């Protein structure tokens, strides 16, 4: 027993020699996840729709880690299916996948447009499923891997005016558990991060609405919106050996929102 305890060290959090795919890493939370993983020693395969990735390139270069960039619209299933193969071509392995890219379209439920429902479900759910499947095939060959999905407070709550966002994020939590159950015995850990309310473009509209902003702030025990940097520790933890016995967990990083 003592021998086992002696094995533990802060090196368990190191990602040296690992390769990580992060989708939507050109800005917001995805950029924070990519920089966090690079700071912990991983090389990055950055996926972006816009290709507007110069800032992320500079930030990763500052860590001394390698970064490769790939442009893909995740609403295009053929493009999604290429991502794992392209990462494999560049690095020869996939150790970590962060399914971060996501979209939100707001409208009252009774007039919610069918095409908007399809757009949100395609990016937030279907692409995550397809990319996880492709990456997991590589991870099974390697007999190791980490998949980190990005859930939401709306993986637990209903919200208002964002029905497909809520449906997709509940499904992300469910899929996290489904993948975790089948892959755990292959030494692949699948977990999710559920961010609370974070200052990014995704939340610009609700932060600009004074009433909604005040309602949200008054409900967060921490008393503030989060900065993307508040999520960096969680992604490194879930990508590292330190979380090797975590499977199918949805880790809320929410300033206490769910505890309220
Ligand atoms: P963001 O700043 O708006 O970033 C969204 C990212 O997703 C961007 O990189 C965007 O690329 C990418 N993306 C959107 N549609 C795409 C598509 N069709 N193909 C490829 N990439 C696409 O928002 P964020 O807050 O960082 O959100 C990141 C993730 O966290 C999302 O899954 C979101 O649901 C989740 N989340 C955010 C919060 C929050 O409070 N901010 C809370 C809970 C969960 P482009 O720049 O090219 O559009």
């Amino acid at each position: 027993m003592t021998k086992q305890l002696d094995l533990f060290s802060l090196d368990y959090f190191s990602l040296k020699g690992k390769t990580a795919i992060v989708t939507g890493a050109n800005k917001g939370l995805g950029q924070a996840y990519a920089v966090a993983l690079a700071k912990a020693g991983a090389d990055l395969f950055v996926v972006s729709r816009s290709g507007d990735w110069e800032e992320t390139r500079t930030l990763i270069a500052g860590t001394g880690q390698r970064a490769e960039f790939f442009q893909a619209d995740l609403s295009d299933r053929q493009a999604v299916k290429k991502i794992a193969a392209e990462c494999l071509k560049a690095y020869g392995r996939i150790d970590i996948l962060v399914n971060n890219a996501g979209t939100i379209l707001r409208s009252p439920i009774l007039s919610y447009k069918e095409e908007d429902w399809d757009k949100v479900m395609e990016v937030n759910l279907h692409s995550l499923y397809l990319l996880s499947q492709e990456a997991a095939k590589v991870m099974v060959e390697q007999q190791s891997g980490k998949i980190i999905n990005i859930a939401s407070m709306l993986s637990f709550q209903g919200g208002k005016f964002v029905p497909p966002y809520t449906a997709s994020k509940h499904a992300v939590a469910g899929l996290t558990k489904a993948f975790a159950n089948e892959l755990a015995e292959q030494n692949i850990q699948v977990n999710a991060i559920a961010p609370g309310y974070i200052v990014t473009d995704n939340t610009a509209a609700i932060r600009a609405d004074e009433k909604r902003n005040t309602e949200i702030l008054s409900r967060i025990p921490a008393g503030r919106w989060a900065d993307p940097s508040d999520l960096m520790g969680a992604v490194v933890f879930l990508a590292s050996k330190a979380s090797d016995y975590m499977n199918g967990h949805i880790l809320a990083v929410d300033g206490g929102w769910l505890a309220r």
Side-chain angles (χ1 to χ4, degrees):
M1 177 59 102
T2 313
K3 216 172 167 194
Q4 293 297 327
L5 300 186
D6 276 349
L7 285 178
F8 181 81
S9 85
L10 287 181
D11 289 347
Y12 276 34
F13 293 91
S14 168
L15 301 178
K16 286 222 163 52
K18 305 287 184 189
T19 293
I21 300 175
V22 183
T23 62
N26 52 301
K27 64 177 186 176
L29 284 166
Q31 184 179 65
Y33 298 136
V35 173
L37 298 175
K39 278 180 181 260
D43 291 326
L44 266 298
F45 191 81
V46 166
V47 180
S48 160
R49 170 176 57 180
S50 62
D52 182 15
W53 48 49
E54 283 317 308
E55 191 177 61
T56 302
R57 186 196 295 280
T58 305
L59 289 167
I60 296 174
T63 69
Q65 293 305 128
R66 180 178 159 194
E68 296 290 335
F69 296 83
F70 186 70
Q71 195 166 2
D73 184 335
L74 300 186
S75 49
D76 172 353
R77 293 186 187 182
Q78 294 315 314
V80 173
K81 286 181 186 169
K82 286 187 188 147
I83 295 171
E86 289 296 324
C87 179
L88 208 53
K89 216 186 281 172
Y91 287 108
R93 55 188 298 114
I94 305 171
D95 299 294
I96 300 154
L97 165 64
V98 183
N99 280 309
N100 164 77
T103 191
I104 191 162
L105 296 171
R106 292 183 171 81
S107 175
I109 202 161
L110 296 187
S111 54
Y112 208 89
K113 292 197 190 98
E114 196 175 337
E115 63 261 35
D116 286 352
W117 169 275
D118 287 342
K119 272 186 206 160
V120 174
M121 294 304 278
E122 192 65 35
V123 176
N124 291 10
L125 181 60
H126 207 103
S127 78
L128 177 146
Y129 167 70
L130 284 179
L131 180 51
S132 297
Q133 203 177 41
E134 293 302 314
K137 288 176 193 167
V138 177
M139 291 172 177
V140 166
E141 289 288 312
Q142 295 169 178
Q143 284 292 290
S144 70
K146 302 274 185 180
I147 297 178
I148 302 162
N149 295 325
I150 304 306
S152 164
M153 294 298 96
L154 297 189
S155 298
F156 305 96
Q157 301 174 309
K160 280 172 98 173
F161 311 123
V162 288
Y165 188 84
T166 302
S168 66
K169 293 296 184 178
H170 270 68
V172 164
L175 259 190
T176 299
K177 294 171 192 172
F179 270 83
N181 291 340
E182 288 198 44
L183 297 175
E185 65 183 7
Q186 313 277 350
N187 189 30
I188 298 162
Q189 291 83 41
V190 186
N191 292 288
I193 294 173
Y197 285 83
I198 325 294
V199 176
T200 66
D201 290 352
N202 172 300
T203 54
I206 46 175
R207 280 181 289 112
D209 178 340
E210 206 179 313
K211 183 166 168 281
R212 193 76 186 95
N213 190 32
T214 308
E215 276 169 12
I216 288 168
L217 269 179
S218 65
R219 196 193 178 285
I220 303 174
R224 66 173 176 89
W225 283 74
D227 181 80
S229 61
D230 286 308
L231 281 289
M232 291 168 92
V235 78
V236 170
F237 172 55
L238 290 181
S240 75
K241 181 174 168 54
S243 61
D244 273 0
Y245 201 62
M246 285 180 71
N247 303 83
H249 185 67
I250 318 297
L251 181 62
V253 182
D254 64 351
W257 176 274
L258 289 179
R260 185 72 185 270

